[in-house]
Amino acid sequence: MRIALNVNGQVREADVPPEMPLLWVLRDVFGLTGTKYGCGIAQCGACTVHVDGRPVRSCVLPASAVGPGQITTVEAVGQTPAGAKAQKAWLEVEVVQCGYCQSGQVMSAAALLARNPNPSDADIDVAMSGNICRCGTYPRIREAIKRAAKA
């Protein structure tokens, strides 16, 4: 099935099975490897991308279901005001340990900051609850989100 996807502001086409998850189209067809495969069942958040500004788990979302939605990956989230603030704060706070989950973490944080520029601790807990970090960087993630909110 030939599909057209708007990824990071560019329309790109792929000839893929209709049930192929968006994650594999992004990584294997388009070469955008910043989005990671984690659990494959939408439980860890490593594969988080934005569709029309909302965080979605790309490992379970069929690419054919996106339609005309605007997909943003970690490669381009820094071009948005909230994404730029989140990425800058991530570096300043030195959030990353192994780094594997961090693209998904940044994507969820950027979506939170875009819709709520001054999140409370409870808001952060809710927004980030679907993103798991095996290294336990949660205190630094919270600090980075608070720093980004003040920027």
Side-chain angles (χ1 to χ4, degrees):
M1 174 180 189
R2 190 138 192 97
I3 60 172
L5 297 170
N6 188 325
V7 181
N8 298 333
Q10 293 184 324
V11 175
R12 303 176 80 162
E13 293 188 357
D15 189 13
V16 297
E19 68 277 5
M20 178 180 270
L22 177 60
L23 173 65
W24 300 125
V25 175
L26 294 172
R27 288 185 58 85
D28 294 349
V29 179
F30 297 153
L32 297 169
T33 57
T35 305
K36 304 300 183 197
Y37 174 78
C39 65
I41 55 173
Q43 297 297 303
C44 74
C47 66
T48 303
V49 299
H50 297 173
V51 175
D52 293 331
R54 292 177 297 116
V56 299
R57 304 301 190 242
S58 65
C59 70
V60 295
L61 178 64
S64 61
V66 175
Q70 306 277 323
I71 301 163
T72 304
T73 69
V74 72
E75 286 88 350
V77 76
Q79 297 170 10
T80 68
K85 288 178 184 177
Q87 287 182 332
K88 184 175 186 288
W90 242 249
L91 293 173
E92 290 172 352
V93 176
E94 297 181 353
V95 172
V96 178
Q97 284 192 0
C98 86
Y100 196 82
C101 69
Q102 295 302 313
S103 61
Q105 302 277 2
V106 167
M107 295 303 290
S108 290
L112 168 64
L113 291 165
R115 72 176 183 276
N116 181 354
N118 190 21
S120 67
D121 286 348
D123 296 331
I124 294 170
D125 289 346
V126 169
M128 303 304 292
S129 65
N131 290 82
I132 297 171
C133 175
R134 295 168 71 180
C135 302
T137 61
Y138 301 113
R140 292 198 308 244
I141 289 170
R142 179 185 300 247
E143 182 182 344
I145 292 171
K146 288 181 171 277
R147 183 178 289 224
K150 292 177 184 169

